[in-house]
Amino acid sequence: MTTREEKKLLLDIVDCIISIDEHLENRRILEEYLASKTKRRAVERELEIIGEAMSKLLKINPKIKISYSRTIVDLRNKVIHAYDSVDDILIWKIIMKDLPLLLSESNNLLNEN
């Protein structure tokens, strides 16, 4: 059963994923992403928020059914604390492969109750 606080955090994650789509103008074009510092920074900020929400979720429910939950928190820490070594290609891989899974899992948890 998902608590009210868990739902709030899951909604924050879903909102950030939707915002990433908006920052990318609903296009998945690597060259545009790499050419735009503003887009890269906006996406990184959304990933920070996702990681923070995930960190809070794990404190509330360490057994939450989200793949790579600890890795998501680790990414947040890297983006914040090692900003000068963020790999744009790794971030792009996350956008393309990992965010759709996170969105699906988050929506599934929200729809459980």
Side-chain angles (χ1 to χ4, degrees):
M1 182 166 177
T2 309
T3 67
R4 183 180 186 148
E5 183 63 17
E6 287 173 300
K7 284 183 181 183
K8 183 239 181 258
L9 294 165
L10 288 165
L11 285 170
D12 289 345
I13 290 169
V14 168
D15 183 58
C16 285
I17 294 170
I18 292 167
S19 292
I20 287 171
D21 284 337
E22 291 169 0
H23 296 308
L24 297 174
E25 302 169 45
N26 294 310
R27 294 192 304 265
R28 295 287 192 272
I29 302 170
L30 176 60
E31 293 76 18
E32 286 183 11
Y33 176 76
L34 293 174
S36 174
K37 183 178 184 179
T38 303
K39 285 182 184 182
R40 291 192 316 272
R41 295 281 168 90
V43 167
E44 289 169 12
R45 176 66 179 141
E46 300 296 344
L47 292 172
E48 289 173 14
I49 295 169
I50 290 170
E52 185 64 21
M54 186 61 63
S55 178
K56 290 179 180 183
L57 270 171
L58 288 172
K59 287 177 184 163
I60 295 168
N61 181 357
K63 296 182 181 186
I64 194 154
K65 303 278 191 218
I66 294 184
S67 303
Y68 312 110
S69 56
R70 186 67 234 167
T71 304
I72 293 166
V73 175
D74 293 343
L75 175 67
R76 172 225 176 255
N77 294 336
K78 181 170 183 169
V79 170
I80 289 174
H81 300 293
Y83 65 90
D84 55 341
S85 65
V86 171
D87 181 344
D88 293 328
I89 300 302
L90 174 63
I91 298 296
W92 188 254
K93 178 252 178 210
I94 290 166
I95 292 167
M96 298 301 289
K97 293 192 174 205
D98 300 327
L99 288 184
L101 174 62
L102 179 58
L103 180 61
S104 174
E105 290 176 344
S106 297
N107 281 326
N108 287 341
L109 288 168
L110 284 167
N111 293 323
E112 275 184 355
N113 300 331

